[in-house]
Amino acid sequence: MVPSLSFEQLTDQSEMVVAGDVMRTWSDWDAAHQFIWTHHEIAVTSAYKGAAAKTIVVSEPGGVVGDRGMSIAGTVSYAPGENVVVFLQRMPNGYLRTTGWAQGKYVVDKAGLVHGAGASGGLEIVNPDGPGQRTPAAAATPLRTLEGITATQFRIRVEARVRGAKQ
């Protein structure tokens, strides 16, 4: 289970919010050789919050290295060629990870419209409509207020929230 996050919470909890193109994906062990992480290199086209280099690496738990695999239900997936806008938070191990699981990843279509990426199987997002209410991740995400807006409108909303949070 993952708590449902509002747009404001996603923005506030994220170190960075960036737009860009997924260039490549690979899996590797962490520094302690305990956990496998899948890394996704993104060529940044715009940073809406935070200071991003020309490329960043977003890391999600799980993957396959050689004959060893690790699977985490609900992990966010990325594919080379995707144009994305993502909310990112820093993990204790130093990796950048999608904020709020799938709630923090949006795909930009060829028309420039933003769409929630959905979630992998097994993830439930706790519905804010009442205690104990649960909604399958696919129904709870994306945030309804962001679905189908233009990438420019998305940027304006994030930047306005960042300015408002600093005041």
Side-chain angles (χ1 to χ4, degrees):
M1 284 191 318
V2 175
S4 178
L5 299 175
S6 68
F7 166 76
E8 293 79 12
Q9 290 170 315
L10 273 174
T11 305
D12 295 351
Q13 291 178 21
S14 297
E15 177 180 321
M16 286 185 216
V17 181
V18 301
D21 298 304
V22 180
M23 305 305 292
R24 66 186 181 111
T25 296
W26 71 98
S27 296
D28 205 352
W29 291 98
D30 63 6
H33 201 78
Q34 289 182 305
F35 302 104
I36 297 174
W37 288 76
T38 298
H39 308 283
H40 313 280
E41 182 180 28
I42 297 176
V44 176
T45 55
S46 298
Y48 305 156
K49 179 181 180 183
K54 289 184 179 185
T55 62
I56 60 168
V57 176
V58 177
S59 302
E60 297 294 334
V64 176
V65 176
D67 63 348
R68 300 287 176 126
M70 187 176 117
S71 178
I72 307 293
T75 299
V76 182
S77 64
Y78 291 82
E82 281 184 315
N83 182 268
V84 296
V85 180
V86 290
F87 293 84
L88 302 169
Q89 63 186 132
R90 182 102 28 211
M91 297 289 95
N93 64 5
Y95 292 157
L96 281 173
R97 184 166 177 212
T98 311
T99 306
W101 296 74
Q103 297 174 87
K105 179 190 175 196
Y106 294 82
V107 176
V108 181
D109 68 20
K110 295 206 184 293
L113 301 178
V114 175
H115 303 282
S120 298
L123 182 68
E124 281 189 314
I125 296 177
V126 178
N127 188 334
D129 295 335
Q133 299 297 312
R134 295 182 184 167
T135 304
T141 59
L143 294 171
R144 290 176 191 89
T145 60
L146 300 177
E147 180 65 25
I149 67 173
T150 67
T152 300
Q153 291 168 320
F154 191 101
R155 176 186 52 79
I156 290 167
R157 288 203 53 196
V158 170
E159 290 174 350
R161 176 63 188 174
V162 170
R163 278 193 310 276
K166 288 182 181 177
Q167 295 177 359

